[in-house]
Amino acid sequence: MLRKEVNDLLTRTGHGTAMGEMFRQYWVPALLAEELPEDDCPPVRVKLFSERLLAFRDSRGRHGLIDEFCAHRGVSLWFGRNEEGGLRCPYHGWKYDVTGQCVEVPSEPEESGFCRKIKLKGYPLIKIGDVLWTHMGDPANRPPHPEWEFATVAPEQTFTSKRWQESNWLQAMEGGIDSSHVTWLHSGSLKTDPLFRGARGNRYNQGDLKPHFEVVEADGGLFIGARRNAEDGKYYWRITPWVMPSFTMVPPRGDHPVHGHFWVPIDDENCWAWSFDYHPVRPLTREERKAMQDGFGVHCKYTPGTYRPRANKDNDYLMDRAAQRRGETYSGVEGIAIQDASLQESMGPIVDRTKENLVSTDNGIIMARHRLRKAAEALRDTGETPPGVDPAHQKVRSAAVVLPPDQAFVEACKEDLKVRPGVKQSSV
Ligand code: FES
Ligand SMILES: [Fe+2]
């Protein structure tokens, strides 16, 4: 359990909060590139860390993320006209470029230079992989561009989606490092999901319901190892890297693409669950890509025209008690992503961690909270750059291996847990 002050510290990410300032040290996913598909396309509302922003792409293909509201009298620029190298407020015609600089105030004499004094808040927006990334911290302290493997492999090897989750980011992220729930909540999907089924490892998952956890510190965060019994006294290890503040990778299954997540706060009671799938050495097959687009694996089906899942809290996640009884799904909710979302949203917008009772399988969560708190306080008190900002920390992989009983996973899997260009993921 956590004291209330610590729960507040870890879950609040608005301006001026310790965790909010820490998140602003990183390049974070802001939008899918597909949301701004062409020059001068409609602008998109984006809320991140409780700031209301607007993303747009100008006539020259430049991307920008600026304050949503006009500096004149506060109109939402979502209603603006995106044309001729900028976004023009439809109320009185003030115009802004992708940096938020006002470039025209039609009512004022041009020689007055008035517009040059007006600047909206603006953040960079860069495309790497299928994602537009932003950095909302001090420009003087802007880190090198992100180098996550899923975003830097060839486009035909990778697929990214996002879904709106109606809960605080931390309880969502904690689900990503809690590998013990897979045996229960996702047991039906392991057998049927086209992006999971058929791997030898699935048998070990189902065969040992009492995994033993070992958590090891890494430069950027943690490696969380879950050990289950395999044959001949050997152990099946599933190793999940967590890189601060909110990146995780699910251990692979067979030759299926490897998936993982980012959880990015929208505000304190909502977050984006980003989900990616990639294969380090081969293009995704047509069937795999289709399954991802159709919402299988870690992806989901949407309410048309939105990134809100079709199964959501307003329809009780399309709970099917008959399918639950028949054993097709363990919880009655279909799909891995929505199985997670339904339970994490059921905890309430910000779960009260003063009331929980943690057990040994929660060690990864306990250590992650501790690292987050330490790093946020070190940044606040001494200006220390948090782990995970350095691209070297981002070059990690998950792994699923069978090891003899006397081998520590962190030694035996040293190479497996690094990005190795041209080398396949380690998986059973
Ligand atoms: S409110 Fe935008 S130009 Fe007047
Ligand atoms: Fe899950």
Side-chain angles (χ1 to χ4, degrees), residues 203-308:
R203 283 211 313 269
Y204 306 132
N205 255 94
Q206 296 313 117
D208 184 351
L209 302 183
K210 291 192 192 307
H212 166 81
F213 276 73
E214 280 179 26
V215 189
V216 176
E217 304 263 354
D219 292 340
L222 301 171
F223 286 118
I224 299 149
R227 192 190 78 192
R228 291 176 172 85
N229 293 322
E231 56 278 296
D232 307 330
K234 293 192 189 132
Y235 288 133
Y236 171 60
W237 283 95
R238 294 181 60 74
I239 305 156
T240 305
W242 169 69
V243 181
M244 290 184 57
S246 68
F247 170 90
T248 64
M249 260 177 87
V250 182
R253 293 187 185 277
D255 191 48
H256 288 304
V258 195
H259 32 260
H261 306 277
F262 278 96
W263 286 276
V264 181
I266 295 172
D267 54 29
D268 292 344
E269 301 192 347
N270 295 274
C271 66
W272 287 117
W274 285 85
S275 301
F276 60 81
D277 245 303
Y278 74 105
H279 198 290
V281 300
R282 66 160 171 84
L284 304 179
T285 65
R286 195 171 329 145
E287 293 71 30
E288 285 167 345
R289 194 172 286 279
K290 170 101 171 51
M292 293 165 195
Q293 285 161 344
D294 288 347
F296 289 98
V298 291
H299 309 283
C300 73
K301 298 180 175 62
Y302 297 102
T303 303
T306 74
Y307 292 99
R308 190 184 197 206

Side-chain angles (χ1 to χ4, degrees), residues 28-321:
V28 294
L31 299 92
L32 282 164
E34 69 183 26
E35 295 180 75
L36 294 176
E38 58 191 26
D39 297 351
D40 286 335
C41 61
V44 177
R45 295 185 188 97
V46 177
K47 192 176 184 195
L48 288 176
F49 312 119
S50 302
E51 292 185 43
R52 289 182 62 175
L53 305 165
L54 197 69
F56 74 106
R57 173 166 162 179
D58 76 5
S59 319
R60 289 201 274 140
R62 297 178 305 176
H63 294 98
L65 187 60
I66 66 172
D67 197 327
E68 182 184 339
F69 302 100
C70 182
H72 179 211
R73 277 168 45 212
V75 159
S76 170
L77 293 168
W78 182 80
F79 292 93
R81 299 172 61 95
N82 188 9
E83 58 192 15
E84 293 159 357
L87 192 63
R88 192 184 288 282
C89 178
Y91 215 7
H92 315 93
W94 293 27
K95 184 172 178 181
Y96 303 90
D97 72 13
V98 284
T99 68
Q101 177 63 50
C102 182
V103 292
E104 215 185 309
V105 175
S107 61
E108 298 299 298
E110 214 171 297
E111 57 283 9
S112 74
F114 177 76
C115 73
R116 285 200 295 278
K117 288 181 239 148
I118 306 286
K119 173 143 185 351
L120 293 174
K121 164 168 86 180
Y123 301 119
L125 203 53
I126 54 167
K127 181 177 180 306
I128 300 177
D130 297 332
V131 177
L132 298 175
W133 306 75
T134 191
H135 174 258
M136 290 169 58
D138 179 3
N141 222 353
R142 192 151 286 156
H145 290 175
E147 295 186 23
W148 306 102
E149 189 177 29
F150 82 92
T152 52
V153 294
E156 59 275 14
Q157 288 169 240
T158 188
F159 177 87
T160 305
S161 71
K162 68 172 195 180
R163 67 174 165 80
W164 173 28
Q165 176 155 335
E166 296 173 71
S167 81
N168 182 261
W169 77 279
L170 185 60
Q171 66 211 53
M173 195 275 282
E174 288 176 349
I177 55 178
D178 159 27
S179 158
S180 71
H181 77 275
V182 175
T183 308
W184 304 96
L185 180 63
H186 303 314
S187 55
S189 304
L190 285 189
K191 284 177 257 161
T192 56
D193 191 287
L195 296 165
F196 282 74
R197 69 186 169 211
R200 179 155 65 97
N202 298 1
R203 283 211 313 269
Y204 306 132
N205 255 94
Q206 296 313 117
D208 184 351
L209 302 183
K210 291 192 192 307
H212 166 81
F213 276 73
E214 280 179 26
V215 189
V216 176
E217 304 263 354
D219 292 340
L222 301 171
F223 286 118
I224 299 149
R227 192 190 78 192
R228 291 176 172 85
N229 293 322
E231 56 278 296
D232 307 330
K234 293 192 189 132
Y235 288 133
Y236 171 60
W237 283 95
R238 294 181 60 74
I239 305 156
T240 305
W242 169 69
V243 181
M244 290 184 57
S246 68
F247 170 90
T248 64
M249 260 177 87
V250 182
R253 293 187 185 277
D255 191 48
H256 288 304
V258 195
H259 32 260
H261 306 277
F262 278 96
W263 286 276
V264 181
I266 295 172
D267 54 29
D268 292 344
E269 301 192 347
N270 295 274
C271 66
W272 287 117
W274 285 85
S275 301
F276 60 81
D277 245 303
Y278 74 105
H279 198 290
V281 300
R282 66 160 171 84
L284 304 179
T285 65
R286 195 171 329 145
E287 293 71 30
E288 285 167 345
R289 194 172 286 279
K290 170 101 171 51
M292 293 165 195
Q293 285 161 344
D294 288 347
F296 289 98
V298 291
H299 309 283
C300 73
K301 298 180 175 62
Y302 297 102
T303 303
T306 74
Y307 292 99
R308 190 184 197 206
R310 189 185 63 156
N312 56 56
K313 71 176 180 189
D314 293 343
N315 53 29
D316 276 331
Y317 309 91
L318 305 173
M319 159 71 78
D320 182 346
R321 303 246 180 222

